[in-house]
Amino acid sequence: MSKGTFPEGAQLEAQISGRRRKGVYLRLAFLGSLMLAILALLTLLANIINSAFGLVAFENAVAPAALVEEIGLDPARIALSDLSKDDLLAVLEGGINNNVGRRLERERRFYSDRLVFETRAKWDEVCAREVDRPAGCDGRVRGREDVYSLVVEQVVQPKALETWSLVDSVLHRAEIEAAAAVSYPDAEIVFRSWLSMDFVTNPQSPRAEVAGVRTAVLGSLWIVLVTIVFSFPVGVAAAVYLEEYARRTRLNRLIQTNINNLAGVPSIIYGMLGLAIFVRVLETFTSGAVFGGVDGGVTANGRTVLSAGLTLGLLILPIIIINAQEAIRAVPQSLRSAGMALGATQWQTIRAHVLPNAVPGILTGAILAVARALGETAPLVVVGASTFITADPGGPFGKFTALPIQIFQWTSRPQDEFRNIAAAAIIVLLIMLLALNATAIVLRNRYARRA
């Protein structure tokens, strides 16, 4: 084939064959990449599920039937889990010392009209404090299920002697039960789902058998709420300005470049920024002291839900701005021209034509950014998330922990059962992330139809 001519005959067929062969190779490479990603995801899910379910050898410090009998009831006719709140409190009073009872009552009262472990004079004294006022002074009362959880945790004290994975529990159940009968003759071998309703509704506990993620889930939801309230309006407003009002000057190009770079800054840097600004400089604001809102169950050192939410808001702000800019930029210029031609001002054109058409993209980007914030750990550790806290966050000025912090803390424990509940907590976190992603899809489709 001479230069400047097209191949013919055998040369053409060889060239076409080579191009097709190259296309097949690339298609196989793309398919291999997809299969590798799916395999990695399935491996992760299989590992989590394998740890979240399985056989457990349990041994109780006190038999539930004995506790029922101690309060004068027949254990053959009523189980511990069916007792009324008054009966459960009678069991609790008999099973713990008064110091533990006072601590529990100061966390949250058992009755609104009377005290169980604390004296009235002492209660009035601690509730009159201006600092370190117990959370129980806010008047909230424990429900029956909460009291039952305390009885199981403090009195029954079930202990997991050994746990087995789901695969071993299914494939080798007979061998496990035979070996456990020899090693733990007093233990009960049960198949347990570590992910249960009790696990979701129970507060944090130093004992894996009764620990739950309620405190961490509420902390994560509070943080995400503050993050959305702060970052979404600020991010969208900044994107509208940069796309619709800002001129292409050197300063604006510099700002745009820095926003793009900020999206790639490691999250730990944002944690240090949040510690310096929100926790230390703005302590009186983020602790609630400036509003006079320091109350029971809250702290005045700035390490609060508000500081964590604002820090994560800064973390995802560049992402929201960039996504919103892309969505606004995708709106056809003809819509802007038509609006201006009809006599509308620039803001009226943006409000009536640009933003409604950009909303699906803006919402999708924003919710995916919030999903990233939900899974962040490093900034929260720096800002001051508690690794162990049993009181639920009551507002933006309260102490907090978050689900990723909880998972990290449990996976660092040497006991096997903590790895089991860490796997269950990961499933809860994945469900929350999937719910956020599903919300993004629903909102995008809804506003896409309206646009």
Side-chain angles (χ1 to χ4, degrees), residues 116-375:
V116 179
F117 296 95
E118 194 69 89
T119 63
R120 172 56 64 183
K122 187 65 177 176
W123 182 264
D124 293 339
E125 178 189 336
V126 297
C127 287
R129 295 173 182 167
E130 294 186 358
V131 295
D132 295 333
R133 190 164 174 259
C137 296
D138 62 5
R140 290 184 295 171
V141 177
R142 295 182 188 272
R144 182 203 165 278
E145 294 302 321
D146 198 2
V147 177
Y148 173 70
S149 298
L150 289 178
V151 170
V152 174
E153 178 184 350
Q154 300 289 336
V155 184
V156 178
Q157 298 184 12
K159 180 174 177 56
L161 302 175
E162 188 171 353
T163 65
W164 292 268
S165 67
L166 176 61
V167 173
D168 288 340
S169 299
V170 172
L171 299 180
H172 309 291
R173 178 161 189 159
E175 294 90 333
I176 290 173
E177 290 179 342
V182 176
S183 302
Y184 314 110
D186 298 328
E188 181 184 8
I189 311 300
V190 297
F191 185 91
R192 173 159 179 170
S193 167
W194 293 95
L195 177 62
S196 63
M197 188 53 68
D198 288 340
F199 178 73
V200 176
T201 57
N202 281 354
Q204 201 173 0
S205 170
R207 301 180 59 247
E209 297 83 358
V210 294
V213 292
R214 186 187 71 198
T215 309
V217 168
L218 291 176
S220 290
L221 293 177
W222 267 109
I223 293 170
V224 165
L225 177 62
V226 174
T227 301
I228 293 174
V229 170
F230 167 66
S231 62
F232 183 73
V234 174
V236 174
V240 169
Y241 176 80
L242 289 172
E243 286 299 317
E244 299 295 330
Y245 293 101
R247 296 178 181 177
R248 305 304 173 192
T249 62
R250 181 175 298 178
L251 175 62
N252 288 331
R253 287 197 297 273
L254 180 64
I255 293 174
Q256 183 67 61
T257 301
N258 278 284
I259 290 174
N260 295 337
N261 290 333
L262 284 173
V265 171
S267 59
I268 189 72
I269 305 300
Y270 284 97
M272 297 171 67
L273 179 66
L275 177 67
I277 296 179
F278 300 125
V279 176
R280 293 177 177 166
V281 176
L282 301 178
E283 178 183 337
T284 54
F285 171 72
T286 54
S287 67
V290 70
F291 305 109
V294 179
D295 203 341
V298 301
T299 179
N301 63 7
R303 299 178 184 274
T304 59
V305 168
L306 184 59
S307 295
L310 293 175
T311 302
L312 293 185
L314 286 180
L315 171 67
I316 66 171
L317 191 57
I319 303 173
I320 291 179
I321 293 175
I322 293 171
N323 285 330
Q325 281 186 272
E326 293 293 335
I328 293 171
R329 200 175 298 152
V331 177
Q333 187 64 31
S334 58
L335 289 178
R336 297 177 178 84
S337 301
M340 302 291 282
L342 292 174
T345 63
Q346 187 173 8
W347 163 241
Q348 288 173 324
T349 302
I350 294 171
R351 185 188 62 189
H353 300 287
V354 177
L355 285 180
N357 284 278
V359 160
I362 293 174
L363 287 179
T364 301
I367 293 178
L368 292 178
V370 171
R372 179 195 168 183
L374 184 63

Side-chain angles (χ1 to χ4, degrees), residues 37-189:
I38 294 175
L39 181 63
L41 180 61
L42 291 178
T43 303
L44 171 66
L45 292 176
N47 186 47
I48 294 171
I49 293 174
N50 193 39
S51 299
F53 305 90
L55 290 172
V56 185
F58 273 115
E59 189 173 83
N60 296 325
V62 181
L67 296 173
V68 174
E69 194 171 2
E70 282 181 5
I71 60 173
L73 298 176
D74 184 3
R77 303 183 62 180
I78 186 169
L80 180 68
S81 58
D82 297 328
L83 293 182
S84 65
K85 180 179 176 180
D86 292 339
D87 290 335
L88 288 171
L89 268 172
V91 173
L92 189 64
E93 283 187 83
I96 62 176
N97 61 50
N98 211 42
N99 289 333
V100 175
R102 282 199 298 269
R103 176 176 61 80
L104 295 174
E105 192 156 42
R106 291 185 183 186
E107 290 176 359
R108 184 173 291 188
R109 295 182 57 161
F110 295 100
Y111 296 105
S112 60
D113 55 348
R114 65 186 175 92
L115 297 167
V116 179
F117 296 95
E118 194 69 89
T119 63
R120 172 56 64 183
K122 187 65 177 176
W123 182 264
D124 293 339
E125 178 189 336
V126 297
C127 287
R129 295 173 182 167
E130 294 186 358
V131 295
D132 295 333
R133 190 164 174 259
C137 296
D138 62 5
R140 290 184 295 171
V141 177
R142 295 182 188 272
R144 182 203 165 278
E145 294 302 321
D146 198 2
V147 177
Y148 173 70
S149 298
L150 289 178
V151 170
V152 174
E153 178 184 350
Q154 300 289 336
V155 184
V156 178
Q157 298 184 12
K159 180 174 177 56
L161 302 175
E162 188 171 353
T163 65
W164 292 268
S165 67
L166 176 61
V167 173
D168 288 340
S169 299
V170 172
L171 299 180
H172 309 291
R173 178 161 189 159
E175 294 90 333
I176 290 173
E177 290 179 342
V182 176
S183 302
Y184 314 110
D186 298 328
E188 181 184 8
I189 311 300

Side-chain angles (χ1 to χ4, degrees), residues 396-418:
F397 305 122
K399 296 178 181 177
F400 72 98
T401 188
L403 209 43
I405 299 288
Q406 188 72 83
I407 294 169
F408 170 74
Q409 195 257 342
W410 281 340
T411 52
S412 62
R413 299 286 293 270
Q415 297 91 341
D416 290 340
E417 55 269 26
F418 280 99

